[in-house]
Amino acid sequence: MVDVAIYLAAGCSGCELSLLDLGDRLADLNFRVIWASPTLGDGKYGRIPEVDIAFVEGGVRLDEQERIVRELRRKSDVLVAFGICAACGGVPGLANLHSKDEILEGVFRKGTTTDNPESIIPQKTVFVDGKYELTLPEFYENVRAVDQIVEVDCYIGGCPPTPGQIEDAVSRIIGGEVGWITTARAVCESCPYELGDGMEGAGRFTKIVSGECFLKKGILCFGPATQGDCGASCPKVNTPCRGCGGPLPAVSDYGAKIVDMLSLLLDEKGVEELGSNYHTIAKLIYLYSMASATIPGRVRKYHVREIE
Amino acid sequence: MNIVGFACQWCAYQAADLAGSMKMEYPESIKLIRVPCSGRVETEFILQALLNGADGVFVAGCPVAECHYRMGNRIARKRIAILKRILPEFGIESGRVEFLQVSSADARRFVEFAEEFDRKIKKLGSNPIRRYSDG
Ligand code: SF4
Ligand code: SF4
Ligand code: SF4
């Protein structure tokens, strides 16, 4: 039996639920969860046991998360970045294109469904009833992938990884594999459609193109640059791939690779079209990997200091 | 100022070389890196250069129909065009990257471009990444 810990950092618990989706087959995984927090159990932060494998889901946005991730690193032999948020920052990493103030304003003051007449914004320290001091986790200026905090042994892509993918990955990790745990085949390889040698344009995904390759039809699909452990689940249901599988193992900057791909496939008119159809190209091509990009977000003072 | 120029070995690098042997001068800020083909310069190389403090980056290749590998310069030109749209989202001015097409015999064109790009980058000031990390 292998002892594991499961921790949810800046993620959505979808990865953990995907693990639970294994149902009965969970019993075959040959591990027992001896510490989990906060979704799967209420493991106390002060009592994290030594484990063989620690699964971290989600990136790091709060000082509390950074502390726990460091603690898990000390207490585990193998640390796994579980899901694309942990591996590359995931969708929450897109926040790096905005400042902390912009985000807090947007969420707590200007949100369309926000009801906050006193205009309260979360603070690190608050006084309750004027006498009890309460400390809340600090909200960092940016989201970081787990390997920007501690050394990571294994990476699993996917938002979330599929149950089958997790089952396979866990046995490979127990078997001692490190790095990206993936078949390393692009999404296109398991996609039923055939990629053409060029794109018709760079349109948005608004028209139905059932039965043909999206790129061929002039709709952006990131299949060629993405790990296809999902079995091309999106194109198979007529949705273009947006890259949640993560970069193919030899690629370090996913979005940059997409730019390379587009500069190859689009003609000059297509490049123009890309610009007119999409006002935030970075948010599209780095949808799941902004935090781990070469330039991991909008250039800001504190931000750049942290990269160094 | 720090400018990195990726120059293809067939045309752009030759043009710069020729400029040198003709004793023409171009700004000292420019550091040329010889590459087999402008199309080989991946987006990530350019981003790395910017991250490491280059104030401007240009990619230079052969004239339109004269790429030694047929399409490399066209790919590079489109790559820069896409990158120019993306950089402002990161808070970096699009003018910091440029594409140049020049023939191996056209030392003058190379020098003119180099001077103009250097002027433009001076006007933009140092790369915001550098500005911030220098304090
Ligand atoms: S990878 Fe997807 S499912 Fe997993 S935590 Fe992130 S957003 Fe949720
Ligand atoms: S639809 Fe997407 S995943 Fe399928 S072949 Fe085309 S590019 Fe690849
Ligand atoms: S097709 Fe792409 S976006 Fe869809 S699940 Fe697979 S990797 Fe993720």
Side-chain angles (χ1 to χ4, degrees):
Chain A
M1 272 289 168
V2 173
D3 290 339
V4 309
I6 299 177
Y7 174 59
L8 169 68
C12 76
S13 79
C15 295
E16 290 169 333
L17 294 183
S18 189
L19 175 76
L20 289 184
D21 263 352
L22 276 167
D24 289 352
R25 285 185 290 161
L26 263 175
D28 306 332
L29 286 184
N30 203 30
F31 71 50
R32 60 172 174 224
V33 180
I34 60 167
W35 186 89
S37 185
T39 332
L40 291 185
D42 66 347
K44 297 289 176 274
Y45 292 161
R47 278 182 254 139
I48 299 179
E50 304 266 338
V51 291
D52 299 306
I53 307 176
F55 289 89
V56 175
E57 173 194 359
V60 174
R61 175 96 227 201
L62 305 174
D63 62 352
E64 171 186 302
Q65 290 157 352
E66 175 166 356
R67 256 198 337 270
I68 304 305
V69 164
R70 286 187 191 282
E71 179 78 4
L72 283 169
R73 177 69 279 187
R74 278 194 291 276
K75 297 274 178 74
S76 62
D77 290 337
V78 177
L79 187 124
V80 182
F82 183 38
I84 200 69
C85 284
C88 297
V91 173
L94 284 182
N96 289 3
L97 289 171
H98 300 271
S99 70
K100 167 181 170 176
D101 289 342
E102 266 167 47
I103 290 164
L104 292 178
E105 277 288 307
V107 173
F108 292 95
R109 291 204 173 120
K110 298 200 196 103
T112 39
T113 54
T114 304
D115 180 17
N116 183 7
E118 288 163 62
S119 208
I120 297 168
I121 284 218
Q123 305 292 326
K124 193 163 161 57
T125 324
V126 284
F127 280 94
V128 182
D129 298 339
K131 45 186 171 176
Y132 308 110
E133 190 186 293
L134 219 63
T135 313
L136 295 175
E138 187 186 343
F139 187 78
Y140 284 154
E141 291 289 353
N142 56 310
V143 176
R144 278 173 290 175
V146 175
D147 67 2
Q148 287 165 297
I149 305 285
V150 295
E151 199 179 326
V152 167
D153 302 299
C154 304
Y155 299 80
I156 302 177
C159 176
T162 65
Q165 184 186 350
I166 296 172
E167 192 178 17
D168 174 56
V170 167
S171 62
R172 284 165 68 180
I173 291 168
I174 291 176
E177 218 174 290
V178 290
W180 277 99
I181 312 295
T182 168
T183 57
R185 294 210 186 94
V187 171
C188 294
E189 285 194 49
S190 26
C191 177
Y193 312 123
E194 224 163 273
L195 177 65
D197 50 7
M199 287 177 75
E200 254 174 35
R204 297 185 75 107
F205 177 50
T206 47
K207 55 184 173 194
I208 310 282
V209 290
S210 205
E212 261 188 286
C213 169
F214 284 103
L215 286 182
K216 217 156 140 186
K217 283 285 147 202
I219 292 171
L220 299 184
C221 176
F222 300 154
T226 308
Q227 289 175 30
D229 301 78
C230 61
S233 49
C234 296
K236 277 180 184 161
V237 294
N238 202 35
T239 307
C241 172
R242 282 294 171 258
C244 82
L248 287 165
V251 175
S252 63
D253 188 324
Y254 181 85
K257 213 59 201 165
I258 296 292
V259 174
D260 290 343
M261 172 186 108
L262 292 175
S263 58
L264 234 132
L265 290 172
L266 287 170
D267 58 12
E268 269 84 0
K269 223 179 92 235
V271 171
E272 281 295 307
E273 213 178 291
L274 181 72
S276 54
N277 278 336
Y278 293 95
H279 296 296
T280 53
I281 301 174
K283 283 186 180 164
L284 178 74
I285 62 178
Y286 285 109
L287 185 56
Y288 293 99
S289 60
M290 186 76 253
S292 64
T294 308
I295 300 175
R298 213 174 155 81
V299 176
R300 301 188 296 265
K301 205 167 189 154
Y302 40 84
H303 196 124
V304 172
R305 282 225 182 92
E306 276 176 9
I307 321 173
E308 285 182 335
Chain B
M1 290 290 113
N2 246 324
I3 294 173
V4 174
F6 293 98
C8 97
Q9 61 182 354
W10 301 102
C11 291
Y13 197 83
Q14 299 285 342
D17 217 24
L18 183 63
S21 45
M22 286 165 72
K23 304 253 180 298
M24 296 166 84
E25 280 177 19
Y26 60 86
E28 269 174 44
S29 57
I30 293 173
K31 320 238 164 5
L32 274 194
I33 296 174
R34 189 170 126 171
V35 290
C37 173
S38 57
R40 179 64 184 86
V41 182
E42 294 177 16
T43 307
E44 201 183 327
F45 301 176
I46 300 169
L47 294 178
Q48 276 292 349
L50 289 169
L51 180 72
N52 291 329
D55 301 306
V57 179
F58 69 87
V59 178
C62 307
V64 195
E66 291 170 36
C67 176
H68 276 65
Y69 307 103
R70 223 160 62 89
M71 298 276 286
N73 55 356
R74 268 192 71 199
I75 292 169
R77 191 171 68 190
K78 289 183 282 181
R79 192 167 284 161
I80 297 284
I82 298 174
L83 201 52
K84 272 178 174 295
R85 305 221 183 236
I86 295 174
L87 286 180
E89 293 180 55
F90 287 93
I92 297 172
E93 302 87 346
S94 58
R96 293 192 187 274
V97 294
E98 209 52 80
F99 180 68
L100 164 74
Q101 289 178 315
V102 61
S103 87
S104 59
D106 206 347
R108 181 167 305 281
R109 169 95 187 92
F110 180 83
V111 170
E112 276 167 15
F113 168 85
E115 281 170 345
E116 192 191 311
F117 191 59
D118 177 71
R119 253 199 312 278
K120 222 167 84 184
I121 297 298
K122 279 211 181 91
K123 227 187 239 162
L124 286 174
S126 63
N127 175 350
I129 294 179
R130 206 148 66 90
R131 210 148 64 215
Y132 288 143
S133 54
D134 288 350

